[in-house]
């Protein structure tokens, strides 16, 4: 059974930082591409960032470029998302996802993500 468990969310003021983690089990972690999604209340889920199995190829949605950094530790089966200069618009539930056939340079196709975590809440106040 595949399990993706996110942690690290919380409430911060605008301009603050958070580091999300996602620990995976039940799948060959170093063979999967991974991504972070987020969903704000009343909005559709959107892709935030992706990273290839090798930890080199990455993708960021324009709204987070220069502020968020995705990384992974294959030895520890853990995915990270370092978030800095947080804005109220970043408030959302953040999910990690694993996709064997996803292109990490574009986070596509979205349907290629096979597994999704339960999410961790990030709230940024102004």
């Amino acid at each position: 059974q595949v399990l993706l468990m996110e942690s690290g969310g919380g409430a911060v003021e605008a301009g603050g930082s958070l580091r999300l983690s996602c620990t995976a089990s039940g799948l060959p972690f170093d063979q999967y591409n991974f991504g972070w999604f987020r969903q704000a209340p009343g909005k559709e889920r959107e892709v935030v960032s992706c990273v290839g199995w090798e930890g080199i190829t990455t993708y960021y949605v324009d709204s987070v470029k220069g502020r968020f950094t995705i990384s992974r530790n294959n030895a520890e089966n853990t995915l990270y998302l370092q978030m800095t200069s947080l804005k109220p618009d970043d408030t959302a539930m953040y999910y990690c996802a694993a996709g064997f056939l996803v292109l990490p340079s574009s986070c596509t196709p979205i349907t290629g993500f096979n597994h999704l975590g339960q999410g961790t809440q990030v709230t940024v106040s102004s």
Side-chain angles (χ1 to χ4, degrees):
Q1 178 182 358
V2 175
L3 182 64
L4 304 179
M5 185 173 296
E6 302 94 337
S7 62
V12 297
E13 294 185 349
S17 299
L18 284 172
R19 188 193 196 200
L20 305 185
S21 299
C22 172
T23 301
S25 60
L27 79 171
F29 186 87
D30 59 0
Q31 296 181 28
Y32 272 75
N33 302 310
F34 276 81
W36 287 99
F37 289 77
R38 66 185 179 186
Q39 186 167 19
K43 295 186 178 181
E44 293 187 357
R45 187 177 298 164
E46 66 168 347
V47 66
V48 175
S49 181
C50 283
V51 62
W53 62 270
E54 82 283 47
I56 297 174
T57 307
T58 59
Y59 166 87
Y60 298 94
V61 68
D62 285 347
S63 60
V64 308
K65 284 181 180 177
R67 300 188 298 121
F68 290 12
T69 303
I70 192 170
S71 62
R72 61 190 294 165
N73 185 327
N74 286 350
E76 296 186 355
N77 287 6
T78 304
L79 175 74
Y80 300 101
L81 186 68
Q82 178 68 49
M83 306 186 295
T84 63
S85 302
L86 283 162
K87 305 175 181 180
D89 284 349
D90 295 319
T91 295
M93 185 72 79
Y94 283 71
Y95 303 87
C96 72
F100 188 72
L101 297 178
V102 171
L103 294 175
S105 57
S106 61
C107 278
T108 59
I110 296 297
T111 53
F113 286 99
N114 311 100
H115 308 288
L116 188 71
Q118 293 298 307
T120 185
Q121 178 68 38
V122 171
T123 302
V124 184
S125 59
S126 58

